[in-house]
Amino acid sequence: AVNDVACRHLGYTREALLALSLPQVDPLDEAVIPSVLESLRAGREALFETMHITKEGRRVPVEVHARIIPYLGAPAVLSVARDITDRKKSEAALQTAKEYAENLIETANSIVVGMDVSGNVTVFNRAAEAITGYSRSELKGRNWFEVVAPKERYPRVWEEFEQLMTTGVPRNFENPILTKSGEERYIVWQNNEVYENGKIAGTISFGLDITDRKRAEEALELSDR
């Protein structure tokens, strides 16, 4: 049995569609079949994604809800399919945008550091690796205020970050950091909060190393005394 929507969706008349076997319009991925059968045999609804093939040969992504029902005195499978073409296009567009943003961050000349609300590193680009001497794998998941800007050494930096959930972080901020080799370098930051579902989830900061400029200014100041 098929309804009118299925006929329009696949481009067949009812008679033509009923003359086809299921694999001709829905070549279900063999990897999905065991879990679908397991759900149906257990009396549960099976939810999965597949592709429908129209009469013209067009492949249409669909989300399917299937369950066992009695039909003409015997068990049968009732499948309700929903066209998810628009959702798939949106997902593809979001993935493209995500990859583009990640590439921009990774290839940026400035330091890019992301942290969660506890100060644990979530984003750490190549420029950050070059300046700090730490690799991404060494710092990702570790606390920024224990490694690169230790709160005991730079209490003001930690105090500013602690205001994240109340007043937010300062848009522009300058502070020293401690590299892996123990060298102190000065960074000027541009900071922004990161939101998820309307709530602050962390920060993203773009930094420029101004160490050479700071040292030149200090040397000039000493020479003027």
Side-chain angles (χ1 to χ4, degrees):
V2 292
N3 68 356
D4 291 340
V5 176
C7 296
R8 291 195 300 270
H9 168 67
L10 293 166
Y12 290 95
T13 63
R14 186 182 305 275
E15 293 74 19
L17 188 52
L18 289 174
L20 300 176
S21 63
L22 182 62
Q24 289 177 279
V25 293
D26 184 1
L28 191 62
D29 187 343
E30 291 186 3
V32 175
I33 293 175
S35 63
V36 171
L37 291 177
E38 180 183 355
S39 295
L40 294 176
R41 287 168 178 160
R44 301 191 303 270
E45 181 180 79
L47 174 62
F48 57 95
E49 292 182 9
T50 184
M51 285 283 184
H52 280 175
I53 300 177
T54 68
K55 184 179 180 180
E56 295 77 21
R58 189 166 55 91
R59 297 175 71 85
V60 181
V62 292
E63 181 182 77
V64 178
H65 295 254
R67 59 189 175 92
I68 298 291
I69 62 166
Y71 183 72
L72 299 179
V77 177
L78 173 66
S79 295
V80 179
R82 181 168 65 92
D83 187 334
I84 57 173
T85 301
D86 290 342
R87 192 185 84 190
K88 287 295 185 182
K89 287 179 179 178
S90 296
E91 289 174 352
L94 284 172
Q95 182 61 30
T96 299
K98 180 175 179 290
E99 290 172 357
Y100 179 71
E102 289 175 347
N103 183 60
L104 283 179
I105 287 172
E106 192 59 27
T107 57
N109 291 326
S110 61
I111 300 169
V112 183
V113 176
M115 292 182 281
D116 64 19
V117 294
S118 298
N120 299 315
V121 176
T122 57
V123 176
F124 199 71
N125 72 343
R126 291 176 191 165
E129 290 181 316
I131 296 298
T132 66
Y134 289 100
S135 67
R136 182 187 291 104
S137 60
E138 286 178 299
L139 273 193
K140 197 166 184 179
R142 296 181 67 185
N143 195 284
W144 180 261
F145 302 100
E146 292 177 359
V147 184
V148 183
K151 61 181 74 173
E152 298 83 7
R153 182 163 178 161
Y154 309 116
R156 177 169 164 262
V157 183
W158 170 247
E159 287 167 6
E160 292 290 348
F161 185 79
E162 276 190 308
Q163 304 304 311
L164 172 63
M165 302 304 290
T166 53
T167 60
V169 289
R171 290 292 172 261
N172 297 288
F173 196 74
E174 180 184 316
N175 67 273
I177 63 170
L178 204 60
T179 68
K180 188 176 181 179
S181 66
E183 179 189 11
E184 195 171 67
R185 300 198 70 82
Y186 289 86
I187 311 296
V188 59
W189 300 97
Q190 183 177 7
N191 307 304
N192 286 284
E193 295 86 14
V194 175
Y195 289 83
E196 289 183 8
N197 300 319
K199 296 181 179 180
I200 294 177
T203 61
I204 188 77
S205 300
F206 300 82
L208 292 176
D209 186 346
I210 59 169
T211 306
D212 293 340
R213 191 190 80 190
K214 289 284 287 186
R215 288 173 180 167
E217 289 173 352
E218 289 170 358
L220 183 61
E221 187 177 319
L222 287 173
S223 66
D224 290 338
R225 289 179 182 175

